[in-house]
Amino acid sequence: MILNLGNLPRTIWVEKSGGASVAGFVDQRRLPGELVLVRTADWREMVDAVKTLAVRGAPAIGVAGAAAVMLAAFEYAERPDFDDRLEKAARVIAEARPTAVNLSWGVRRAQEAAREASTAGKTAAETAEALYELAEALIAEDEAVNRRIGAHGTALLRALAETGAVGRPLNILTHCNAGSLATAFYGTALGVVYAAAQEGLVNRVFADETRPVNQGARLTVWELARAGVPVTLQCDDMAPSLMAEGQVDAVIVGADRIAANGDAANKVGTLGLAIMARHFQIPFYVAAPKSTIDCTTKSGSAIPIEERDPAEVLAEPIPGVAVRNPAFDVTPYDLITAIITEDGIWKPLKP
């Protein structure tokens, strides 16, 4: 298999343009029909991009959060109440979406950098430049972390493909998009797939469509096909029968928040896959950076679950019909074979 990761766009970046500092992102609402690159100097547009899923995926919105704080710093650099305005903007940015802890993590990194600059006696303009450098560093850091996740995950897949019960290139099932589009570049769950594919360990990826927003159908299959990985799209409810037929060797998903006990929140539908994988004795892996681990949240029951617009499920309301639309569900740690991070396999501390 010949991979071409050069066909994948950078999901989020910062640059100097016309004397202004701007943030850029792929508008994922427009995929797969159009690859639209957006550049903005307005932190409010970044917040809207996160809320409306133009930018999505836990690591990507973490970087987006820091970039948005950077844009706010440049906007308010000439204001006498710079510190107060920046703190207020940071709070708005951090609250754009509730479940993925990476967003507040990215905002917090930017706030800490701003406070350090202020303590060091830097001007507001110098603080804004420091936040620009931080955003650049976080983007590079994210890719490096993802590649390390890929390497650690590949070691697990290699054991399956070469010395385990499978003994051949693997068929991998994934849900939602934890690929390059969900990060600054490369991906978490799909980062493992890319790294393993480069070693010839992957036969095919099966991607769930991921209703109701169809991130699998619009994003995952788009990027896998562009990268040269054989991929098959299926409806979400087809996954159990595929497992029953023996066509799934491993399940790999991402995560938006991992509690201290190892419970993992991911796109709704993940829990059902984990239950089915356990029934059919298929390894179920979660791939995520350590920034997704929230040790202040003791268990999955305490993870806030975002409830999205009912129109995503039912475009035209039906009188007398209520719509439930949680964006995520929580998979208990005892259904997870391994949580793969940039430092290897993470295990929760015993209470």
Side-chain angles (χ1 to χ4, degrees), residues 108-125:
R108 188 169 60 251
R109 290 281 297 267
Q111 289 176 298
E112 291 169 354
R115 290 168 189 149
E116 289 175 5
S118 178
T119 301
K122 293 183 181 292
T123 66

Side-chain angles (χ1 to χ4, degrees), residues 16 38 41 60 78 83 85 133 170 181 207 219 234 298 329:
K16 301 288 187 179
V38 178
E78 301 301 322
D83 291 338
R85 284 182 175 272
E133 293 175 3
L170 306 174
L181 289 168
L219 307 177
Q234 65 179 1
K298 292 184 178 180
D329 58 25

Side-chain angles (χ1 to χ4, degrees), residues 99 101 104 257-261 290-299 302-304 346:
T99 302
V101 73
S104 58
R257 186 184 303 226
I258 299 171
N261 72 340
K290 290 192 299 180
S291 57
T292 301
I293 300 170
D294 178 15
C295 288
T296 66
T297 299
K298 292 184 178 180
S299 70
I303 296 176
W346 179 82

Side-chain angles (χ1 to χ4, degrees), residues 158-181:
R158 189 184 303 117
L160 280 177
E162 295 182 353
T163 61
V166 179
R168 54 164 172 73
L170 306 174
N171 292 328
I172 296 171
L173 173 64
T174 193
H175 187 75
C176 196
N177 177 268
S180 190
L181 289 168

Side-chain angles (χ1 to χ4, degrees), residues 60-291:
I61 67 174
V63 174
V69 177
M70 176 270 292
L71 294 179
F74 278 104
E75 178 176 332
Y76 300 133
E78 301 301 322
R79 297 290 192 106
D81 55 350
F82 170 78
D83 291 338
D84 183 54
R85 284 182 175 272
L86 189 63
E87 285 294 318
K88 288 180 179 178
R91 287 196 293 271
V92 172
I93 296 163
E95 293 171 357
R97 293 191 71 190
T99 302
V101 73
N102 300 68
L103 178 58
S104 58
W105 170 86
V107 171
R108 188 169 60 251
R109 290 281 297 267
Q111 289 176 298
E112 291 169 354
R115 290 168 189 149
E116 289 175 5
S118 178
T119 301
K122 293 183 181 292
T123 66
E126 290 171 333
T127 297
E129 290 293 344
L131 293 184
Y132 182 89
E133 293 175 3
L134 172 69
E136 284 189 317
L138 289 181
I139 290 167
E141 176 185 305
D142 181 66
E143 180 180 348
V145 162
N146 294 334
R147 290 184 181 274
R148 285 160 58 192
I149 291 171
H152 289 299
T154 294
L156 296 176
L157 297 187
R158 189 184 303 117
L160 280 177
E162 295 182 353
T163 61
V166 179
R168 54 164 172 73
L170 306 174
N171 292 328
I172 296 171
L173 173 64
T174 193
H175 187 75
C176 196
N177 177 268
S180 190
L181 289 168
T183 65
F185 190 72
Y186 200 70
T188 53
L190 292 194
V192 175
V193 169
Y194 293 140
Q198 287 180 315
E199 292 192 18
L201 301 176
V202 176
N203 176 60
R204 178 165 294 275
V205 174
F206 290 94
D208 287 346
E209 61 178 349
T210 322
R211 290 240 337 127
V213 188
N214 295 327
Q215 295 97 325
R218 295 187 301 106
L219 307 177
T220 298
V221 298
W222 180 84
E223 72 165 87
L224 284 170
R226 284 178 72 97
V229 178
V231 58
T232 297
L233 175 67
Q234 65 179 1
C235 296
D236 294 353
D237 55 6
M238 296 174 181
S241 62
L242 190 73
M243 293 182 185
E245 294 166 5
Q247 295 193 56
V248 178
D249 301 310
V251 180
I252 306 177
V253 298
D256 288 83
R257 186 184 303 226
I258 299 171
N261 72 340
D263 295 349
N266 192 51
K267 184 57 58 182
V268 66
T270 302
L271 172 59
L273 290 182
I275 293 170
M276 287 296 99
R278 174 58 57 87
H279 176 77
F280 290 110
Q281 300 182 356
I282 298 168
F284 183 93
Y285 300 118
V286 172
K290 290 192 299 180
S291 57

